[in-house]
Amino acid sequence: MSNIIASPPDKWIRHWLKLALVTSELSKDPSTKVGACVVTPDNRQCSLGYNGFAEGIEDTEERWNTRSIKIELVIHAEENAIINSPFDTKGCILYCTHQCCHKCMARIVRAGIKKVYYINKYDRATFPELIEAHSKLLDDIKQVTL
């Protein structure tokens, strides 16, 4: 039996990206709502995440609207989906509403996730060379139009 994971059919890619999009609506971020979904290669289990403050951190308008504070407090959707996963993420696929930042890319690779599909390009990406380096460690990464 081969260890190569076939790409999911387009209908599954669209399905999981739509679920990530619905999940993003749970975010309280007034500027960028991000949702993510980690899925097993056989499409049988999924774990969801959205960008938000850690449990116990008070959600205040000031914190959400002060970019420097928000950047320090927010846990990204991808990280939350990985943290929330009740299953081993090795070999899994991550579906996200937005392109992953360099820190999330490192976490994705470390979690053993092999494929990433996203809807929106991240316009304010810092360290694009790190995003590119981590992307090369995946079997597949691509932007998808719904």
Side-chain angles (χ1 to χ4, degrees):
M1 188 151 151
S2 173
N3 287 336
I4 297 173
I5 301 166
S7 290
D10 285 346
K11 72 174 185 175
W12 282 110
I13 293 172
R14 286 192 308 277
H15 170 78
W16 295 118
L17 284 172
K18 288 177 185 176
L19 184 57
L21 202 54
V22 168
T23 302
S24 74
E25 295 171 12
L26 296 171
S27 173
K28 294 180 182 178
D29 190 329
S31 62
T32 308
K33 296 181 183 303
V34 181
C37 188
V38 175
V39 180
T40 57
D42 61 1
N43 290 308
R44 292 182 183 258
Q45 296 183 74
C46 72
S47 175
L48 304 173
Y50 56 90
N51 57 319
F53 297 158
E55 188 175 343
I57 302 296
E58 186 180 1
D59 284 311
T60 66
E61 191 174 328
E62 179 188 4
R63 287 178 173 170
W64 279 113
N65 291 314
T66 307
R67 186 163 170 74
S68 60
I69 294 172
K70 179 174 74 171
I71 287 172
E72 292 301 318
L73 293 177
V74 157
I75 299 174
H76 290 192
E78 303 92 326
E79 184 175 9
N80 272 322
I82 292 167
I83 290 168
N84 292 336
S85 179
F87 51 85
D88 185 358
T89 58
K90 286 183 178 53
C92 287
I93 305 164
L94 183 126
Y95 300 88
C96 197
T97 58
H98 292 72
Q99 182 182 18
C100 306
C101 73
H102 69 284
K103 289 181 181 179
C104 286
M105 286 299 294
R107 289 179 181 103
I108 289 163
V109 168
R110 185 158 190 226
I113 292 168
K114 292 297 182 187
K115 298 179 182 187
V116 174
Y117 300 104
Y118 62 92
I119 302 167
N120 302 299
K121 189 152 179 65
Y122 184 46
D123 294 328
R124 291 187 253 168
T126 55
F127 303 104
E129 68 280 3
L130 293 177
I131 294 171
E132 181 65 26
H134 286 107
S135 294
K136 290 178 180 176
L137 299 173
L138 301 174
D139 291 344
D140 196 16
I141 182 169
K142 64 177 70 152
Q143 184 176 10
V144 176
T145 303
L146 288 184

